[in-house]
């Protein structure tokens, strides 16, 4: 399984420029660490062409939030939720992002 963790640097709030640069660097570091250390075991799970895509970003209170954005087995999604929870990340509960899930488009109503 290929693990992709994308740091979403654009947020729905605008910190000042110096803080934004620092926050973006830390977010990218958190994304790399999540992929390379905490979720590295997923490389041995499933087929070689399977993938899991996780978005991480900041919420307006400067906490890291995460969201699995593609359709993966519930066991794997639950494991990602557990690991991210142990790291102190919040589950991203928003319908603002349009993501493809279950062959449909998630919109405003899905959380």
């Amino acid at each position: 399984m290929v693990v992709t963790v994308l740091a979403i640097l654009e947020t729905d709030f605008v910190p000042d420029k110096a803080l934004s640069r620092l926050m973006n660097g830390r977010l990218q570091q958190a994304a790399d660490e999540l992929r390379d250390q905490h979720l590295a075991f997923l490389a041995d799970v499933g087929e070689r062409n399977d993938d899991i895509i996780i978005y991480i970003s900041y919420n307006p209170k400067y906490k890291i939030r995460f969201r699995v954005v593609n359709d993966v087995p519930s066991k794997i999604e639950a494991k990602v939720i557990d690991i991210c929870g142990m790291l102190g990340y919040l589950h991203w509960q928003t319908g603002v992002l349009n993501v493809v899930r279950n062959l449909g488009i998630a919109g405003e109503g899905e959380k």
Side-chain angles (χ1 to χ4, degrees):
M1 176 171 284
V2 177
V3 179
T4 304
V5 181
L6 298 173
I8 307 298
L9 303 178
E10 297 293 324
T11 59
D12 47 353
F13 61 96
V14 182
D16 70 43
K17 194 168 191 136
L19 180 59
S20 179
R21 190 173 318 134
L22 177 68
M23 289 175 59
N24 289 345
R26 287 185 178 175
L27 189 64
Q28 187 60 56
Q29 183 179 0
D32 294 342
E33 184 178 300
L34 182 61
R35 181 193 64 234
D36 297 338
Q37 294 176 16
H38 302 289
L39 300 178
F41 71 93
L42 290 176
D44 299 329
V45 175
E47 297 295 319
R48 195 178 277 246
N49 60 350
D50 290 343
D51 62 352
I52 180 169
I53 301 171
I54 302 164
Y55 287 170
I56 66 171
S57 181
Y58 287 106
N59 71 4
K61 294 183 180 182
Y62 304 109
K63 293 285 288 177
I64 293 178
R65 58 189 175 179
F66 73 95
R67 181 179 182 126
V68 176
V69 295
N70 63 329
D71 195 21
V72 296
S74 58
K75 284 183 178 182
I76 292 176
E77 186 169 10
K79 188 66 174 170
V80 170
I81 290 170
D82 287 344
I83 289 169
C84 289
M86 288 188 299
L87 292 170
Y89 301 168
L90 304 174
H91 198 199
W92 193 341
Q93 299 289 327
T94 183
V96 174
L97 289 175
N98 287 328
V99 294
V100 177
R101 273 194 89 117
N102 298 325
L103 301 177
I105 300 294
E108 290 293 325
E110 183 170 321
K111 295 215 182 223

